[in-house]
Amino acid sequence: MLLADIAGQEHAVAALLRAVASGRLAHACLFDGPESVGKRSAALGLALALCCTERPGQGCGTCDACRRIESGRHPDVLAFAPATTQYLVEQAREIVAMAATRPHEAPARVLILDSADCLNPSSANCLLKTLEEPFPGNHLVLVTSAPDRLLPTIRSRTQRVRFVALSAAALMRIAAARGASPAQAETAAVLAGGQVGRLLQALESEAESSLWTIVSNLRQAAAAKGMGAIFDAAAEFSDKESRQDLPEALALLARLYRDALVSAAGAGELALLRDRGSELATLAGQARKDYDLRTLRSALREVVQAGSALASNVNPVTALEKMLMDLRTLEAGLT
Ligand SMILES: [Zn+2]
């Protein structure tokens, strides 16, 4: 993937393209940021920009060099991963030896170290001199989502390039580019939590409609006249299999209330679940007409708390009962 095609990392991409164009790219870069936000793709994109013969400085994605880089067959672009839970000293020595020579054929060589936080003190120390001054044309890219675990001596010898959790808008663009409908894209963007990997998982999963069915059932139970509906709805999730999708359904429910809250507060443009427009309008309208925003906020808090309770092994039925009783205030208009 070309650097320019990496979604949601405008700052990092612009800094890298500038550095390549000016010939001032650091010998050693540290790509850090959350899991699954494009760091590894950017490391390859950087290699394309440095080694492409057709569009030097940017990469074309179609020339022989670009194609070999993308398929992992270019002799000057190599990726390393820890051999065990850590990088072995032998691996570090191999990297040092390679970075001490001229690139085979491209104008640059790019050595990518995935999970660079798995460099132990011995392998890290072995790399120090190389990070400072590799043979001209060699670039090391250390990739990590846990930069604090790197030795300070490594951090100080690398140029930090920060990657961020992807915004909902960037996630939606990625989903749309893969042919997702707006409704699918919105749901997947909520479930992605800023990560491309989770977005793709959500798009591939066929659980979307069953998740919204859970959301709808929970809301109906909270809106029912008698309290019995609440106990029945919660009891549906008493066994392990039936509550498999519950955390994701609660994430959607929380986002629905959050979107209703911003809509009721007059910032509807911040809502993500636009496809759920009528539900949002109803909730937001209720909040405006009958209650204050505080009610909507407390509903949101209850859903988030129920989600955390599930994650920490609290009895899910109890957690749901508590949540539904609180939501009843909003959904059924009872106090
Ligand atoms: Zn190319």
Side-chain angles (χ1 to χ4, degrees):
M1 188 184 277
L2 302 182
L3 276 177
D5 292 336
I6 292 181
Q9 303 295 351
E10 287 77 11
H11 191 72
V13 165
L16 288 169
L17 286 172
R18 262 199 317 270
V20 173
S22 64
R24 293 210 190 119
L25 180 69
H27 306 300
C29 293
L30 177 64
F31 285 14
D32 85 63
E35 293 280 352
S36 189
V37 294
K39 302 187 294 296
R40 185 54 156 66
S41 303
L44 278 181
L46 178 64
L48 294 180
L50 289 169
C51 302
C52 177
T53 52
E54 294 299 314
R55 282 174 67 205
Q58 294 172 56
C60 71
T62 53
C63 72
D64 181 55
C66 283
R67 276 191 285 126
R68 282 188 293 146
I69 291 169
E70 290 198 312
S71 60
R73 292 181 293 112
H74 196 294
D76 290 321
V77 179
L78 291 139
F80 296 83
T84 62
T85 52
Q86 298 182 330
Y87 275 95
L88 305 177
V89 177
E90 294 80 69
Q91 289 185 285
R93 287 199 191 114
E94 190 190 339
I95 294 165
V96 168
M98 209 169 285
T101 61
R102 196 183 303 283
H104 287 294
E105 55 178 80
R109 177 186 283 127
V110 180
L111 303 172
I112 302 167
L113 278 74
D114 284 322
S115 306
D117 46 284
C118 297
L119 285 163
N120 61 24
S122 313
S123 49
N125 283 329
C126 182
L127 283 178
L128 290 184
K129 219 172 155 321
T130 300
L131 290 173
E132 242 166 33
E133 205 174 3
F135 191 89
N138 281 277
H139 294 275
L140 287 93
V141 179
L142 278 62
V143 180
T144 180
S145 47
D148 296 343
R149 278 200 238 136
L150 284 164
L151 288 181
T153 46
I154 293 273
R155 286 205 301 267
S156 66
R157 284 168 174 78
T158 49
Q159 174 86 51
R160 199 166 189 178
V161 182
R162 286 171 205 260
F163 290 74
V164 292
L166 294 187
S167 66
L171 291 163
M172 299 267 292
R173 279 199 299 277
I174 297 173
R178 290 181 174 254
S181 69
Q184 283 173 319
E186 287 171 0
T187 300
V190 173
L191 300 178
Q195 299 183 6
V196 181
R198 282 167 63 187
L199 177 85
L200 300 183
Q201 255 175 25
L203 288 175
E204 275 164 27
S205 144
E206 285 168 9
E208 192 208 344
S209 68
S210 64
L211 290 177
W212 281 112
T213 304
I214 297 176
V215 169
S216 153
N217 289 347
L218 291 174
R219 292 189 55 209
Q220 273 173 30
K225 267 211 166 107
M227 291 285 275
I230 285 181
F231 297 118
D232 289 346
E236 290 280 321
F237 298 96
S238 50
D239 68 274
K240 219 174 175 180
E241 204 177 313
S242 60
R243 59 176 177 261
Q244 219 171 345
D245 290 338
L246 195 52
E248 292 191 320
L250 290 184
L252 292 178
L253 184 59
R255 185 70 196 207
L256 193 62
Y257 283 122
R258 188 256 183 209
D259 281 0
L261 187 58
V262 294
S263 302
E269 71 281 1
L270 296 178
L272 174 59
L273 295 168
R274 310 268 175 100
D275 194 63
R276 304 268 145 191
S278 58
E279 283 174 75
L280 290 183
T282 314
L283 280 173
Q286 266 181 354
R288 241 190 250 122
K289 202 168 96 207
D290 306 327
Y291 310 100
D292 50 27
L293 294 177
R294 214 174 302 154
T295 314
L296 208 42
R297 218 162 50 216
S298 86
L300 171 60
R301 194 175 52 231
E302 276 303 314
V303 180
V304 171
Q305 276 173 359
S308 315
L310 289 186
S312 55
N313 285 332
V314 170
N315 181 334
V317 174
T318 314
L320 279 180
E321 283 172 356
K322 179 178 177 301
M323 178 192 86
L324 290 171
M325 284 182 210
D326 194 77
L327 294 187
R328 200 162 182 245
T329 312
L330 182 79
E331 297 279 358
L334 299 173
T335 50

